[in-house]
Amino acid sequence: MPRASNTAVVTDGDERILMLWRHRFIPDAWGWEVPAGWSDPGEDPEQAIRREIEEETGWRPGRVERMTAYNALSGISTMRFTGFHATDSRYIGPPTDPSEASRVEWLPIGKVAELAATGAISDGPSLTAIAYYLGIHRPRHGGNQRD
């Protein structure tokens, strides 16, 4: 895999996650995903995910925080993924790349967890970013503080 990839869990307070309903041609399947995309050569991953969120959703994130980075396929590839959490987004207009998704929706966090559990989110980077956000990142930054 030639370039690093980035994903973002975009939240609206502690209530909703911005999701895309899209078709993936290789597995010929529809599913929900978080915004994601490649970093261009020399591009900072945070700048890349800001660009991708805007292009794919029409929302401009305010704060973007790195959650985690990982090697997706350590045994066969050097591809690197970085997962971000974006907040304080404002709507700037329709997505500039309408081919990215059939729908862009704010879904309740509980519904997103249900979609992941039932297989409606089957994209690996999306599942990883959502699971990391819900299980590790959100408890530190949201209303459910851990000791």
Side-chain angles (χ1 to χ4, degrees):
M1 305 290 176
R3 296 181 284 173
S5 185
N6 309 289
T7 57
V9 176
V10 182
T11 60
D12 179 21
D14 199 30
E15 306 292 320
R16 304 181 302 170
I17 295 177
L18 189 59
M19 301 291 293
L20 298 97
W21 176 252
R22 63 183 308 167
H23 182 260
R24 289 295 186 174
F25 293 98
I26 293 173
D28 191 21
W30 286 89
W32 289 101
E33 297 182 10
V34 297
W38 302 108
S39 289
D40 290 331
E43 184 178 27
D44 176 70
E46 181 182 323
Q47 289 308 112
I49 199 59
R50 285 180 176 279
R51 174 179 46 76
E52 292 292 340
I53 293 167
E54 272 191 45
E55 289 175 2
E56 294 182 0
T57 71
W59 288 82
R60 178 172 291 155
R63 185 167 185 246
V64 174
E65 176 183 14
R66 182 185 171 275
M67 290 190 300
T68 189
Y70 61 98
N71 297 320
L73 303 164
S74 294
I76 60 172
S77 173
T78 59
M79 185 177 200
R80 190 83 174 148
F81 279 89
T82 304
F84 292 93
H85 176 215
T87 58
D88 304 320
S89 300
R90 65 182 174 91
Y91 184 70
I92 59 169
T96 57
D97 189 350
S99 67
E100 289 286 344
S102 293
R103 294 190 333 246
V104 175
E105 293 184 29
W106 287 99
L107 299 177
I109 287 177
K111 178 69 172 176
V112 172
E114 178 186 318
L115 291 169
T118 61
I121 302 171
S122 61
D123 171 65
S126 293
L127 282 171
T128 302
I130 290 166
Y132 193 92
Y133 173 75
L134 292 175
I136 297 171
H137 190 79
R138 180 175 175 229
R140 291 187 300 128
H141 293 80
N144 302 330
Q145 296 293 324
R146 287 187 180 166
D147 295 332

